[in-house]
Amino acid sequence: MDWNQLADLLFPDIVTTREDMEQRFPKRELPQGANVTRIGPSPTGFVHLGNLYNAIIGERIAHQSNGVFYLRIEDTDNKREVPGAVATVINAMAYFGVNFDEGAVAEGDKGAYGPYRQRQRREIYQTFAKWLVLQGKAYPCFLSEEEIAAIREEQNARKEDIGIYGKYAEKNRNLTLEEIRAKLENGETWVLRFKGSLNSEYIAVEDAIRGKLEMPRNFHDFILLKSDGIPTYHFAHVVDDHLMRSTHVIRGEEWIPSLPIHIELFREFGWEHPIYCHTATLMKIEGSSKRKLSKRKDPELALAYYQEEGISQDAVWEFLLTVLNSDYEEWRIANPAGNYLDFPYTLEKMSTSGALVDLDKLRDVSKNVICRMSAEEVYEKWYAWCVKYNEKYAVLLEKYKERTIAALKIGRGGEKPRRDIETWKQACEFMSFYYDETFEIVDAMPEECDEALVHAFVSRYLEDMDYNDDSATWFGKVRELTREFGFAVKPKDYKKDPSAYKGSIVHVTNMLRVALTGRCNAPDIWEVTHVLGEKIARERLGRWC
């Protein structure tokens, strides 16, 4: 076979060489030890938690080393592409505070190593594909779907590996130049296959998370270019990660079986392969066992779930860092006011077993994150979410900005701040009593406080109420009324002898909370009163008289 003639026959329009591409995409000038990482989502319209999980790893590895983190859109499978999906990926990553130094952006590309969309890199891939043909390492395969199905059926019957290799590849491997030319002139479709080698060799690769991985070397004649001239993931990622100078490839453990193919290509081109980091599968507890998160069963797999629920991006980051590194929680305890980006993330402390996604734990983390924010920061982030997901509350927050910030300041700060808000969606529910437009009675009065007692107590409370009283004076009056109406001022006295009292001061204050806020679980009554203002407080309490 004249490989030069075959290469020109298959790629008549490709005049660039691999040397040209090396010059177009030179080695990056970065500080010693700087890492270059990326994420490469497919534009299917579904951006999932695994994308963010791997993005955080890549972002930390790159930015902690003063390196580069970029976004590459792996759109080689145009059958799965959804219109607008690229914008969905970009917007989702921006929402969660994942910052790229270069790559695909809404307006096109940013950076010197693009295009960053694989379907726009056709000439680049075909240049390297032509080089492989020139080396006698790749050939056109004209097998039809029917022929491939028959081969698969025979391999199943013989219990052999499924694929094109050995005797199953001979027919197309051994075509003459004239036979290939005739098929091309006849308009027959073809794919470009890599020539695998049947052997018993094993490869060993050092995975940054899993340690040494050993497996049989590839022997399949796998596809490099599909019939439309666009590469498969296997070929595209090898070429791209070399030319874009990726130092690390972070991807799910489901790609481990494909590793021999990728290593084979890197070796054939004479390139040093990047450090592979195969992450654990995202799991959830179901009953007494764990299972893989499912797109069909589990809404929490989609990043849109966290956006629509209003789970703070900071909470999602902190939660994923607890999943990614076993010592993150210890670091947070030692650095309660620290920024999570200051945590020294390392690949060495990642788990190789399933990464557990526990929504209850996430919401608990979220409470801790939000309670550490200033009232002003909570307001701004809550308002930004409402603008997109709850227009009604966005209007209320604009109208009552000062009142809202004052309300958010209640119980904030100190060693044990209140943990009332866990998501921006839930904040709308919890904070609803501060606005007459959304105020409603949610909880019933305590059983110890019947209608007649509520009427009498609230009436007396309003008679004695002086809006200018400080907190201590106000509470002194509440204690006196508690005693006057036959309730125990000290809860332990009621607990010790319940028959001697109608209830305790806890029941009294809960009665006032329900009357003022519509619920038992609400912040300090005196503080709430001073956020609402005397007029609103008297009006609400007056409804019970």
Side-chain angles (χ1 to χ4, degrees), residues 276-445:
Y276 282 96
C277 314
H278 290 96
T279 58
T281 301
L282 296 178
M283 311 284 283
K284 74 176 295 183
I285 297 280
E286 189 169 76
S288 58
S289 60
K290 292 194 294 186
R291 66 164 174 81
K292 182 179 177 181
L293 277 178
S294 160
K295 178 180 177 181
R296 183 172 58 86
K297 294 181 181 179
D298 306 309
E300 66 267 31
L301 182 59
L303 282 189
Y305 169 84
Y306 302 90
Q307 292 172 270
E308 292 163 7
E309 286 293 305
I311 299 174
S312 164
Q313 70 169 61
D314 304 288
V316 175
W317 264 81
E318 293 229 11
F319 172 71
L320 288 178
L321 284 171
T322 67
V323 176
L324 287 166
N325 266 192
S326 56
D327 61 342
Y328 179 78
E329 290 177 270
E330 293 177 16
W331 178 87
R332 172 51 73 197
I333 291 170
N335 301 272
N339 188 313
Y340 52 80
L341 295 179
D342 294 333
F343 170 70
Y345 167 77
T346 60
L347 289 166
E348 290 77 11
K349 293 184 179 178
M350 286 191 64
S351 170
T352 57
S353 58
L356 185 62
V357 178
D358 182 343
L359 286 183
D360 289 335
K361 182 174 181 179
L362 168 58
R363 289 177 179 268
D364 192 60
V365 168
S366 185
K367 286 181 180 180
N368 289 334
V369 167
I370 293 174
C371 81
R372 291 196 300 265
M373 294 178 184
S374 69
E376 290 77 10
E377 185 180 3
V378 174
Y379 174 87
E380 293 299 334
K381 293 189 175 185
W382 180 24
Y383 173 71
W385 180 85
C386 288
V387 167
K388 187 170 183 180
Y389 295 100
N390 193 325
E391 184 179 349
K392 175 183 176 181
Y393 265 84
V395 171
L396 288 175
L397 295 189
E398 284 184 20
K399 183 178 180 180
Y400 302 113
K401 181 176 181 178
E402 290 185 9
R403 183 193 299 179
T404 302
I405 292 176
L408 291 170
K409 286 182 178 179
I410 296 177
R412 195 163 295 276
E415 291 185 6
K416 292 185 178 181
R418 289 187 65 91
R419 300 168 71 249
D420 298 311
I421 298 175
E422 61 180 39
T423 70
W424 306 134
K425 184 177 182 179
Q426 178 263 343
C428 296
E429 176 188 346
F430 177 76
M431 296 286 287
S432 63
F433 65 84
Y434 285 106
Y435 319 110
D436 284 344
E437 294 88 336
T438 52
F439 172 73
E440 62 178 335
I441 303 299
V442 175
D443 295 327
M445 286 290 180

